[in-house]
Amino acid sequence: MQDMITVTALWWAVIVSGLYHGLNPGMGWPLAVSAALMERKRGALVKALGALAFGHFVAMTAILLPFSLMTVLVMWEREIRLGAGLLVICLGIYLLINRKHPRFLARVKPSRLALWSFLAAMAHGAGLMLVPIFLGICKIGDLDAGHQAAASLMAGNVVTAFVVAIVHTLAMTIAGGLIAATIYFWLGLKFLSSTWFNLDVVWSLSLILVGAFGVLSAG
């Protein structure tokens, strides 16, 4: 029963982190608003959000799949979870100290929103944030390695990785899409420029928090 509650809490963490990523303008929803305003078409907003969602999903999958395919997880699951948590903490501290946004993102053409979304998610550690949560959901340490076939284990983890990426991306797209639609249809860019606050510090602290969760759960 306790394990069920823990796994449920982890799935909620996947959803909440997706909503949080969607709210963060650094994940691209202002670009969707801009694209719709430039093309003066409502459909452009949906198209841009779709491109951003696709890029984000690919980034999440690229980070999670290598972990799902590692048979070594059976023997070294605790150490890997601990290392992943420490890595996320280090990234959070780095982003907290270095507030500059990656310059290469500015070089990506506005028409390539999927590529921009993929690179932004990678650069800001959005996918890495999911790793401690994903490893907790897999619960590899609770399996009997002597009776669990490696192929079956990997197949289950691969499916879980895709489901985590899909659920997370869906939550992100819903949150970002609602804000983008509200800005585009009702509030306008002037409201955005005068009222939105910087989430860089919050983002860095959230990475540290998730990393600490990974370290504690591994212990």
Side-chain angles (χ1 to χ4, degrees):
M1 181 66 179
Q2 186 177 358
D3 287 344
M4 238 173 147
I5 295 173
T6 303
V7 173
T8 301
L10 289 169
W11 276 108
W12 273 111
V14 171
I15 295 171
V16 171
S17 64
L19 295 173
Y20 173 57
H21 288 180
L23 293 173
N24 189 346
M27 291 296 102
W29 61 258
L31 294 178
V33 178
S34 176
L37 289 173
M38 285 192 294
E39 293 189 30
R40 297 181 179 180
K41 295 179 180 178
R42 295 181 179 183
L45 183 67
V46 177
K47 182 180 177 182
L49 288 171
L52 291 170
F54 177 75
H56 197 84
F57 170 76
V58 173
M60 300 304 101
T61 306
I63 293 293
L64 295 179
L65 272 183
F67 286 93
S68 70
L69 293 170
M70 292 168 62
T71 54
V72 73
L73 280 174
V74 177
M75 297 297 296
W76 300 96
E77 182 257 351
R78 181 177 177 274
E79 288 76 8
I80 291 173
R81 288 177 68 180
L82 183 63
L86 291 173
L87 183 60
V88 175
I89 291 174
C90 290
L91 180 60
I93 294 173
Y94 170 77
L95 293 177
L96 195 60
I97 296 171
N98 181 19
R99 305 285 182 81
K100 295 179 180 179
H101 290 272
R103 293 182 178 179
F104 66 84
L105 291 177
R107 300 192 185 104
V108 180
K109 294 180 180 180
S111 58
R112 298 180 179 179
L113 285 181
L115 175 61
W116 184 94
S117 180
F118 172 82
L119 294 175
M122 287 293 195
H124 290 94
L128 196 60
M129 181 185 286
L130 285 180
V131 171
I133 301 172
F134 167 70
L135 293 177
I137 290 173
C138 287
K139 285 286 182 183
I140 297 167
D142 293 341
L143 296 175
D144 184 349
H147 298 85
Q148 180 69 42
S152 175
L153 174 64
M154 286 191 295
N157 289 341
V158 168
V159 172
T160 302
F162 275 109
V163 174
V164 167
I166 290 170
V167 171
H168 173 86
T169 303
L170 182 61
M172 183 211 77
T173 305
I174 290 173
L178 287 175
I179 293 179
T182 301
I183 297 295
Y184 176 72
F185 289 110
W186 294 290
L187 300 179
L189 289 179
K190 288 185 179 180
F191 174 85
L192 176 62
S193 61
S194 62
T195 59
W196 202 260
F197 54 94
N198 194 311
L199 287 175
D200 288 348
V201 174
V202 179
W203 180 270
S204 302
L205 292 175
S206 66
L207 284 170
I208 295 173
L209 182 64
V210 171
F213 163 77
V215 171
L216 291 174
S217 63

